[in-house]
Amino acid sequence: MIKILHKYIIVTGGVLSGLGKGLFAASLAKLLEASGFRTTPIKFDGYLNVDAGTINPFKHGEVFVLDDGTETDMDLGEYERFLNKSLDSWSSLTGGQIFHLIIEKERQGEFLGQDIQFIPHVTNEIIQWIRQKDEVTDITLVEVGGTVGDIENSYFIEAMRQLSLKVNSTDLCWVHVTLVPTLKVVGEQKTKPTQTSVKILQGMGVQPDILLCRTDSPLSEDVREKIAMFCNVPINNVISGHDIPVTYNYPFLLIEENILNSVSQKLNLKIQKIPNLDKWKELVFSISYPTEKLRVGLGGKYTQLGDAYVSVTKALTHAGAHLGVGITPVLIETTDENNHEIIDELSRCDGLIIPGGFGLRGIEGKIRLIKETREKGIPFLGLCLGLQCAIIEFARNVCGLENANSTEFDLHTEYPVIDLLPSQKKVYRKGGTMRLGSYPVKIQEGTLAHQIYEQTIIHERFRHRYEINPDYLTQFESHGFVFSGKSADESVVHIGEYHNHPFFIGTQYHPEFLSRFENPSPIFLAFVRACQKYKRR
Ligand code: GLN
């Protein structure tokens, strides 16, 4: 029988948010997996939403969807892209979920006679959750969202402190990700924010074992010494996490900084296998020194926050890495449909993606962009809402269905070419009720989709309430649209493509959620190839 180790790594963040804790944790998880340890990440988010599905991507970045339909924080996407494996709902825990669980139990009478308190009830519930994977994973890597000192994650950090008392000291390792800013005027790396944030942790009873210091340039030796001394951490465990242009290079930066030594010393790990990341290295090289450059337009309304479309831009990077192409995503804001500049912006791109989205704002601009790609032969990939907009455009401008629309945007449209899925018609609660998660897609032979996937059944991830109205399919088909992918019972269209065009395809699913650095999404690969061809025309 294979022995399971039961170790934990707790990653906290200090000073400010956005330091790339997720990227660091995913890179560390990658190194541990590549060294032969089964590693399972979990992300805790302190907000009181039960899941990320009801948060505007503008606030918190993209909502990521897992196979089992869990709507999660975008960091889960980073773990999947790095580890090249699919996670499940266990890996995403929120404050809202913990309280929901406890209140449910209280109503069931599980705590009869007791007053329910943060300690021990909330903390015990958290510890129980974390330990659920003990029997299947060597190392549970817990990323604590937010910054130390926040009320939102304080009870979670307390739960992890209690967990550290329940296990041996060699079974749990604290890593604190912190900031070491450089004061430009004096050109000096300043350690005070790090000292202060470590003090906050120490005040909570936690002494970090490893510090990952985010800086713009490598930490100097005297700064390392100073941090080690003031923060009570061995100098070899003060890691320089300086800025690098290609984030997929992060595991190599951590190798150079000897992080595996620090972690294995604390956790008493015997690393038998030197991590083999040769393929990873080749891909990083390919993005760092591309042989060709492309610009891909991304038409949407969340363009002020790049994180809102992070899986889409990463999926482009993955395809680019495999084809030796450097891709610059060009965010095209579609909110003002009278803005003629969007067509100009598109004319400087080699292809267009319309990603997923919700609500009326920005729709007409997206439809305009799609019309342009259809008429000019510019490669087009529509993702969920993107496919729905392509159908509206086609209905209006090719099939002559004037003002055709989705009932999401115009409830009383004469031609509801996009309409609610039948299963959605009785849904009133908004949270977690879309058609979510992985479903099979049946692909018709002899189509572009079949050429791309070379299979007749694939599995992809969905997140939608609306679909292409089946009443209009024949009409679209008579004008050259092909519905090349459908649900297993053929009732829901999953892929649509237009054949009088070099590359025009849309999916009801989100292929970007399954694209991994080492295993890019086939449809993104095909799209990038089409963009290359278009550019060289
Ligand atoms: N708003 C559309 C729907 O609910 C598209 C959703 C999406 O793009 N994820 O069907």
Side-chain angles (χ1 to χ4, degrees):
M1 217 177 80
I2 311 163
K3 197 169 169 289
I4 303 206
L5 295 180
H6 306 302
K7 308 270 180 187
Y8 306 90
I9 298 177
I10 318 295
V11 180
T12 55
V15 186
L16 42 86
S17 61
L19 287 183
K21 224 180 345 181
L23 171 65
F24 159 73
S27 304
L28 179 57
K30 179 78 195 169
L31 290 180
L32 292 166
E33 280 258 319
S35 311
F37 301 104
R38 273 151 302 184
T39 309
T40 315
I42 171 165
K43 166 96 195 268
F44 170 76
D45 273 298
Y47 44 71
L48 294 183
N49 305 61
V50 172
D51 59 42
T54 50
I55 308 179
N56 186 335
F58 212 69
K59 294 224 174 329
H60 223 275
E62 157 195 283
V63 178
F64 192 77
V65 180
L66 305 181
D67 278 343
D68 64 12
T70 313
E71 296 172 284
T72 74
D73 176 85
M74 63 174 197
D75 278 351
L76 272 278
E78 200 76 318
Y79 288 117
E80 289 200 344
R81 288 187 284 271
F82 269 72
L83 297 178
N84 196 11
K85 69 178 181 190
S86 295
L87 303 175
D88 61 32
S89 63
W90 174 84
S91 286
S92 174
L93 183 63
T94 68
Q97 216 173 320
I98 291 285
F99 294 123
H100 192 69
L101 273 171
I102 289 178
I103 289 169
E104 266 303 303
K105 283 191 179 173
E106 187 271 340
R107 293 288 85 184
Q108 296 289 336
E110 277 193 40
F111 302 114
L112 277 186
Q114 303 176 45
D115 52 342
I116 303 165
Q117 296 178 302
F118 270 86
I119 302 171
H121 298 97
V122 175
T123 46
N124 281 353
E125 197 67 42
I126 293 171
I127 293 172
Q128 261 177 38
W129 184 283
I130 297 293
R131 300 197 84 166
Q132 276 176 58
K133 292 266 175 179
D134 273 5
E135 297 316 316
V136 291
T137 188
D138 292 318
I139 301 169
T140 301
L141 194 140
V142 185
E143 178 190 347
V144 186
T147 310
V148 297
D150 292 350
I151 287 183
E152 278 83 357
N153 59 22
S154 54
Y155 58 89
F156 190 87
I157 296 176
E158 167 59 16
M160 294 302 95
R161 187 193 69 81
Q162 292 178 19
L163 174 64
S164 75
L165 298 178
K166 292 179 193 281
V167 298
N168 293 326
S169 70
T170 52
D171 288 340
L172 192 141
C173 173
W174 291 94
V175 183
H176 187 55
V177 180
T178 172
L179 178 72
V180 179
T182 303
L183 212 56
K184 282 277 168 341
V185 250
V186 274
E188 208 183 292
Q189 292 180 321
K190 304 303 272 181
T191 64
K192 192 65 84 188
T194 294
Q195 294 180 40
T196 313
S197 114
V198 169
K199 281 211 177 81
I200 298 175
L201 263 183
Q202 289 167 338
M204 298 170 84
V206 172
Q207 169 60 51
D209 299 298
I210 298 173
L211 293 176
L212 187 280
C213 304
R214 292 284 295 110
T215 70
D216 53 7
S217 52
L219 277 187
S220 67
E221 234 13 69
D222 55 330
V223 168
R224 264 189 226 255
E225 270 170 31
K226 194 168 169 188
I227 292 175
M229 186 178 65
F230 281 105
C231 298
N232 198 26
V233 170
I235 186 157
N236 291 339
N237 291 0
V238 179
I239 310 281
S240 173
H242 39 275
D243 294 347
I244 46 173
V246 176
T247 53
Y248 286 110
N249 221 346
Y250 224 79
F252 299 110
L253 182 149
L254 294 182
I255 290 179
E256 274 170 33
E257 287 285 314
N258 276 326
I259 195 149
L260 283 178
N261 274 358
S262 305
V263 173
S264 54
Q265 260 177 27
K266 167 67 191 174
L267 293 181
N268 202 10
L269 297 176
K270 312 251 168 316
I271 299 193
Q272 277 143 0
K273 205 170 131 191
I274 308 289
N276 179 354
L277 292 172
D278 290 350
K279 184 175 173 197
W280 193 276
K281 198 171 230 158
E282 270 172 37
L283 292 170
V284 171
F285 183 85
S286 166
I287 326 184
S288 311
Y289 305 100
T291 50
E292 189 178 358
K293 290 196 173 160
L294 292 177
R295 289 165 55 86
V296 169
L298 258 184
K301 66 174 172 181
Y302 308 122
T303 53
Q304 302 299 315
L305 183 77
D307 276 354
Y309 300 119
V310 63
S311 289
V312 178
T313 55
K314 297 277 176 181
L316 283 170
T317 307
H318 304 161
H322 285 258
L323 298 171
V325 183
I327 301 173
T328 309
V330 181
L331 297 171
I332 306 178
E333 175 65 50
T334 58
T335 310
D336 180 3
E337 70 262 25
N338 296 320
N339 186 346
H340 293 281
E341 283 168 19
I342 63 172
I343 300 296
D344 273 5
E345 287 178 53
L346 177 61
S347 70
R348 289 188 290 276
C349 295
D350 309 303
L352 174 73
I353 293 181
I354 300 289
F358 295 83
L360 174 65
R361 202 165 60 83
I363 291 298
E364 293 302 323
K366 291 175 191 176
I367 293 173
R368 262 199 90 204
L369 287 173
I370 296 172
K371 179 169 188 281
E372 186 75 6
T373 62
R374 184 180 54 74
E375 290 175 347
K376 302 272 165 66
I378 305 168
F380 169 74
L381 176 61
L383 307 173
C384 200
L385 180 72
L387 168 65
Q388 297 176 359
C389 288
I391 289 294
I392 300 172
E393 191 281 320
F394 198 77
R396 290 182 190 173
N397 302 321
V398 180
C399 305
L401 306 177
E402 209 179 317
N403 296 325
N405 216 330
S406 162
T407 49
E408 182 180 1
F409 317 128
D410 177 2
L411 200 53
H412 306 292
T413 171
E414 195 178 340
Y415 304 109
V417 290
I418 307 293
D419 199 8
L420 271 180
L421 286 154
S423 58
Q424 288 288 322
K425 293 201 168 145
K426 287 192 202 78
V427 169
Y428 298 105
R429 279 158 68 107
K430 292 281 185 224
T433 54
M434 280 188 248
R435 181 166 179 259
L436 289 166
S438 176
Y439 286 92
V441 180
K442 240 172 148 173
I443 295 181
Q444 193 185 317
E445 289 183 42
T447 58
L448 174 60
H450 189 254
Q451 241 179 58
I452 291 172
Y453 287 101
E454 296 173 328
Q455 289 180 65
T456 48
I457 296 279
I458 56 166
H459 288 83
E460 290 279 359
R461 293 181 184 172
F462 291 77
R463 181 175 189 247
H464 66 127
R465 290 189 201 282
Y466 293 80
E467 63 162 340
I468 304 176
N469 187 339
D471 296 347
Y472 289 89
L473 297 188
T474 354
Q475 205 169 342
F476 292 128
E477 280 164 345
S478 68
H479 286 90
F481 223 92
V482 175
F483 298 103
S484 49
K486 292 198 174 152
S487 56
D489 65 358
E490 303 202 355
S491 66
V492 186
V493 170
H494 285 176
I495 311 177
E497 51 190 74
Y498 181 47
H499 283 186
N500 303 331
H501 189 283
F503 190 96
F504 191 100
I505 193 163
T507 61
Q508 190 57 74
Y509 52 86
H510 290 272
E512 69 273 21
F513 290 152
L514 281 182
S515 183
R516 313 268 164 84
F517 192 42
E518 292 155 296
N519 195 9
S521 159
I523 201 161
F524 274 86
L525 275 174
F527 171 72
V528 173
R529 283 201 186 97
C531 297
Q532 282 179 296
K533 214 165 152 189
Y534 178 78
K535 188 176 181 183
R536 294 178 193 151
R537 75 195 180 282

